[in-house]
Amino acid sequence: MEFLEEFPSMGRSDLRDLKKMIDGGFREFTRSYGEAIEGFFDPLLGFMVWFEKLLLSTPWPIIILIIGGIAWLGSKSIKVTVGSVLSFLVIGYFGMWEDLMSTLAIISVATVLCISLGIPLGVMMARSNRVQAVVTPVLDIMQTIPAFVYLIPVVMLLGIGKVPGLIAVSIYAIPPIVRLTNLGIRLVEKEALEAADAFGASYLQKLFGVQIPLALPNIFAGINQTIMMALSMVVIASMIGVAGLGVPVLRAISNQYLALGLMNGLAIVALAIIFDRVSQSYGTRIQKHRQGGDHV
Amino acid sequence: MSDIKIRIKNLSKIFGARPESVLKYVEQGMDKEQLLEKHQHILGLHDINLALENKNIEVIMGLSGSGKSTLIRHINRLIEPTAGSIEVDGEDVLKMNSKQLRHFRQSKTAMVFQKFALMPHHTVIDNAGFGLKMQGKDKAFIDEHARKWLDRVGLTGFENHYPAQLSGGMQQRVGLARALACDADILMMDEAFSALDPLIRSDMQDLLLELQQELHKTIVFITHDLDEALKIGDRIAILNGGRLVQHGSPQEILLNPADDYVERFVADVNRTQVLLAKSIMVDEKPQDQTQSVTCQEDETVHTVLHTLLSEDGSYVVVEDSEGRKVGYIDKETLADTVFQSEQKSAA
Ligand SMILES: Nc1ncnc2c1ncn2[C@@H]1O[C@H](COP(=O)(O)OP(=O)(O)OP(=O)(O)O)[C@@H](O)[C@H]1O
Ligand SMILES: [Mg+2]
């Protein structure tokens, strides 16, 4: 009956050897390729450093002006614009301006990275069922595997710093934009596509003239979610050396500083709400043509 | 003789996983139901031979699922056939590579769809210019022609609206303008008016006939409505379960239905409104020659009867468009025709 009571595991020493082998293999890999990979990401690092410096060195009124401008262009809503500007002012007033800029920098770069990789990948998935069958489970893994697990190899490879932080954030944040680009394109009315075919449209004309424009509401929902997920990684990213609002939160956890944690946490929430409102109302605005009613 | 614009030869289409492997059963005479039941394939079309004349309105008719849409989509190869060939202007459409095919679709054919299939994110004028844009025309040219055709279909003033802001009838006018703007020889209309309510539909039929008077396109027009077919068709092809059962002028189809299916199809038609004087006239003069009235060979039996009664004649002299005598109709024949057509409608 012993067999049933204790799970027949592979044995402690075998298991240890296996783990050792994997760790050793990866360490070997890191030793031989780590530098090359780091070199590959150097331009990205350069850009991130430059962008963060730019945000930090720009006089705050100009940043506020730009934020207000983007919020207005995106949402065309006075409420959202005023809300955004006020939030930034309050966050700055409570002494978090620099962390706010750092967070803004990494979120912006991560979002741009996710969009520029995610949309083409989504387009390829929509075009081929085989690609979809391969990519979908990978996305599932990326979204469900605990972030700390893939932080380990990333840190082993690239050490601690902005680039591994960016990669960790992007791995977590890219699935929605890929998924929703794919979904949006697959949901495009087949009548419109058939008409484009019947009038002799090429693949690219169909893609850029019909599929992507009609999928835009979904693509924007994807961008919105991607930004939200990137923001939710801010604290974890700060564990591997990314500056920003996450760092004080981390410090607050280990030292039990309630007020510090609360203020920075709320600043992240405010940022999330601003991003969400602006990108969402932009998303609804670009699909006005679907509703009829008076025209723009 | 009239020239043939589109020639379809031995065209078959089977939908399913392995169409080629079940084609032989269809060739042995298996019908649509059996094919689905025994081999899990859907018979779309079988052995269609059809020659569509240049500058005609060629109507394709049949019940739902008879293969009309499948057939018309073979003409511009939106659907690849399982077997057979399609020639347009003597050129084999199936031999074209993808670039040639795109060029062919841009320049030779234009399509109007049952569900309009407009681009929801484009304004009316951009929709009307869509085909021209695909042809690679420049902006000024597209704008001018899109405007012109929108005007022809009565949509001036709606250029900057979006399709969702228009009624169904107006949307289909945009669809028509988009197709006409391409200046293609062949206009393909898949139940283009079926989604419209009767009055609007009748307007659109009149508009199409009026445009055809000056444009002389080859129009392939699909409908399941016999009245519509008779009103606009120069010739009518009738499909049943993927097979072509008859192809001929409305007169031929009314007078000599090929089988029960066609007969049932035409049963409800008021023949006197369709049959022409020339299809019931005879060569000999009738016995009773007391009082003659004249009519044109292209007038309907209904009109002829009306003339005869109102002028109180005893027989009809039929003339052609140049005024030459081409035949006679006596009172009995006329009465018989009317009587028979009423019996058929009642049955
Ligand atoms: N892509 C497809 N896959 C499988 N079967 C199809 C496909 N397209 C059409 N069929 C089948 O082929 C047959 C003919 O369809 P088609 O659409 O040509 O009919 P139709 O005469 O246009 O009918 P309707 O009047 O309803 O439009 C139908 O039985 C249909 O189910
Ligand atoms: Mg159809």
Side-chain angles (χ1 to χ4, degrees):
Chain A
M1 277 297 103
E2 205 180 303
F3 178 76
L4 289 182
E5 275 160 22
E6 192 163 333
F7 198 91
S9 65
M10 73 186 282
R12 204 165 287 179
S13 66
D14 285 353
L15 197 60
R16 194 176 48 221
D17 288 348
L18 178 70
K19 287 178 190 161
K20 250 193 188 152
M21 201 178 76
I22 294 176
D23 286 351
F26 192 74
R27 226 167 260 139
E28 195 60 38
F29 175 79
T30 311
R31 211 167 295 139
S32 24
Y33 297 104
E35 236 160 85
I37 294 176
E38 249 176 86
F40 174 78
F41 284 116
D42 260 354
L44 194 60
L45 179 64
F47 176 74
M48 284 178 70
V49 170
W50 171 81
F51 188 60
E52 194 177 343
K53 271 213 184 103
L54 180 73
L55 285 184
L56 283 169
S57 60
T58 308
W60 65 266
I62 296 182
I63 300 273
I64 294 278
L65 222 63
I66 293 172
I67 293 295
I70 292 175
W72 171 251
L73 285 181
S75 68
K76 287 280 151 73
S77 144
I78 296 194
K79 224 164 76 186
V80 173
T81 311
V82 171
S84 310
V85 168
L86 270 184
S87 314
F88 268 67
L89 288 174
V90 170
I91 294 172
Y93 186 69
F94 279 96
M96 298 180 278
W97 183 261
E98 281 179 16
D99 284 341
L100 179 66
M101 289 303 110
S102 300
T103 296
L104 211 53
I106 183 149
I107 297 301
S108 311
V109 176
T111 304
V112 171
L113 188 70
C114 288
I115 290 174
S116 52
L117 293 178
I119 291 184
L121 190 59
V123 167
M124 285 194 293
M125 272 172 88
R127 196 182 182 188
S128 141
N129 284 335
R130 204 171 307 157
V131 174
Q132 176 173 258
V134 174
V135 175
T136 306
V138 176
L139 294 180
D140 291 341
I141 293 172
M142 284 162 78
Q143 266 182 313
T144 46
I145 198 167
F148 293 102
V149 173
Y150 58 78
L151 278 183
I152 301 165
V154 171
V155 171
M156 278 169 81
L157 254 183
L158 298 166
I160 279 184
K162 284 194 192 335
V163 170
L166 177 72
I167 291 174
V169 171
S170 300
I171 289 176
Y172 186 66
I174 203 172
I177 178 72
V178 180
R179 273 188 219 281
L180 281 155
T181 302
N182 173 38
L183 180 75
I185 290 181
R186 282 175 184 264
L187 285 181
V188 166
E189 299 89 326
K190 65 179 194 322
E191 283 86 14
L193 277 180
E194 188 182 42
D197 271 327
F199 285 98
S202 65
Y203 171 70
L204 288 181
Q205 281 172 321
K206 268 188 296 181
L207 180 63
F208 290 110
V210 184
Q211 291 177 306
I212 289 184
L214 289 180
L216 268 189
N218 274 312
I219 294 179
F220 262 91
I223 293 178
N224 175 292
Q225 284 187 29
T226 288
I227 298 175
M228 292 303 115
M229 296 189 64
L231 262 175
S232 69
M233 278 290 281
V234 160
V235 177
I236 292 178
S238 69
M239 292 175 68
I240 53 172
V242 176
L245 294 167
V247 180
V249 174
L250 214 55
R251 192 149 30 96
I253 295 173
S254 43
N255 298 320
Q256 298 169 8
Y257 295 150
L258 176 63
L260 181 71
L262 214 53
M263 278 200 294
N264 285 277
L266 287 177
I268 294 174
V269 171
L271 213 51
I273 293 176
I274 293 170
F275 279 134
D276 184 57
R277 288 300 125 81
V278 174
S279 62
Q280 223 171 57
S281 52
Y282 185 69
T284 12
R285 226 151 35 75
I286 53 168
Q287 52 175 325
K288 256 236 163 94
H289 59 78
R290 281 164 189 276
Q291 291 143 16
D294 45 309
H295 64 283
V296 271
Chain B
M1 267 305 286
S2 52
D3 53 339
I4 302 303
K5 186 83 179 168
I6 303 168
R7 192 182 290 281
I8 295 168
K9 282 190 211 149
N10 307 109
L11 183 73
S12 293
K13 175 68 185 179
I14 296 168
F15 295 101
R18 298 176 59 216
E20 296 82 8
S21 68
V22 300
L23 187 61
K24 55 177 184 281
Y25 302 116
V26 179
E27 269 156 11
Q28 286 157 14
M30 186 177 277
D31 69 13
K32 195 170 167 160
E33 284 72 33
Q34 285 177 313
L35 188 74
L36 184 59
E37 200 171 298
K38 294 202 180 129
H39 302 286
Q40 290 78 47
H41 278 66
I42 298 170
L43 179 62
L45 293 171
H46 178 241
D47 200 24
I48 305 285
N49 286 285
L50 197 57
L52 304 179
E53 281 175 22
N54 197 11
K55 303 182 176 176
N56 256 6
I57 301 187
E58 299 270 2
V59 172
I60 298 171
M61 280 197 71
L63 297 176
S64 187
S66 59
K68 307 180 294 290
S69 299
T70 308
L71 179 58
I72 203 172
R73 277 164 179 70
H74 276 91
I75 296 175
N76 59 357
R77 227 172 111 193
L78 287 173
I79 297 180
E80 298 282 341
T82 308
S85 73
I86 304 122
E87 281 173 19
V88 174
D89 287 333
E91 200 184 350
D92 190 341
V93 178
L94 297 174
K95 293 227 171 75
M96 296 177 183
N97 63 28
S98 69
K99 198 173 161 202
Q100 289 166 327
L101 182 62
R102 275 211 314 279
H103 185 255
F104 167 80
R105 287 171 178 170
Q106 287 163 5
S107 55
K108 271 269 164 72
T109 63
M111 206 159 171
V112 185
F113 299 85
Q114 176 170 10
K115 291 180 190 154
F116 320 138
L118 300 175
M119 301 297 156
H121 59 303
H122 285 169
T123 56
V124 165
I125 187 156
D126 287 345
N127 267 293
F130 185 82
L132 293 173
K133 194 168 160 201
M134 294 302 115
Q135 290 175 4
K137 295 283 193 296
D138 65 60
K139 241 180 151 172
F141 183 93
I142 297 176
D143 191 71
E144 181 197 331
H145 283 77
R147 254 172 229 289
K148 180 180 113 188
W149 284 108
L150 283 176
D151 183 48
R152 284 305 309 265
V153 301
L155 281 180
T156 301
F158 290 95
E159 288 86 353
N160 297 319
H161 284 59
Y162 283 96
Q165 300 165 328
L166 305 183
S167 69
M170 288 159 89
Q171 289 189 44
Q172 195 56 303
R173 283 167 193 266
V174 180
L176 195 56
R178 172 174 70 177
L180 291 172
C182 294
D183 196 26
D185 293 348
I186 300 171
L187 191 60
M188 304 198 289
M189 307 181 71
D190 185 1
E191 305 211 27
F193 303 153
S194 299
L196 309 175
D197 56 48
L199 278 180
I200 310 274
R201 192 194 302 190
S202 177
D203 284 349
M204 293 292 283
Q205 292 161 354
D206 294 337
L207 175 67
L208 184 69
L209 287 174
E210 183 194 316
L211 289 165
Q212 174 67 351
Q213 291 271 316
E214 67 185 78
L215 298 174
H216 306 294
K217 306 255 176 213
T218 303
I219 301 179
V220 185
F221 191 101
I222 290 184
T223 179
H224 56 241
D225 175 1
L226 187 65
D227 289 320
E228 186 168 66
L230 295 171
K231 177 172 174 182
I232 67 169
D234 292 316
R235 291 207 298 172
I236 300 175
I238 298 185
L239 292 178
N240 180 15
R243 291 180 162 88
L244 180 68
V245 288
Q246 193 166 11
H247 184 208
S249 68
Q251 309 288 309
E252 282 162 13
I253 285 173
L254 280 186
L255 289 172
N256 304 308
D259 62 6
D260 287 354
Y261 178 78
V262 181
E263 195 143 1
R264 259 180 291 136
F265 233 109
V266 299
D268 294 334
V269 178
N270 184 350
R271 281 143 199 280
T272 58
Q273 305 265 27
V274 180
L275 286 182
L276 302 181
K278 67 178 170 192
S279 59
I280 61 166
M281 70 190 181
V282 292
D283 291 339
E284 314 97 61
K285 267 192 163 188
Q287 250 98 60
D288 180 3
Q289 298 181 2
T290 26
Q291 174 70 42
S292 78
V293 300
T294 37
C295 78
Q296 295 285 308
E297 60 175 2
D298 284 340
E299 281 175 336
T300 62
V301 169
H302 180 85
T303 320
V304 174
L305 180 67
H306 194 77
T307 319
L308 189 75
L309 292 179
S310 63
E311 292 177 18
D312 199 20
S314 61
Y315 74 109
V316 184
V317 179
V318 184
E319 289 179 347
D320 65 12
S321 52
E322 269 112 55
R324 285 184 298 251
K325 273 186 198 153
V326 288
Y328 306 93
I329 308 172
D330 62 25
K331 235 178 178 163
E332 284 72 42
T333 314
L334 203 53
D336 267 359
T337 310
V338 174
F339 180 64
Q340 272 177 17
S341 87
E342 264 166 18
Q343 258 188 339
K344 287 216 167 140
S345 319

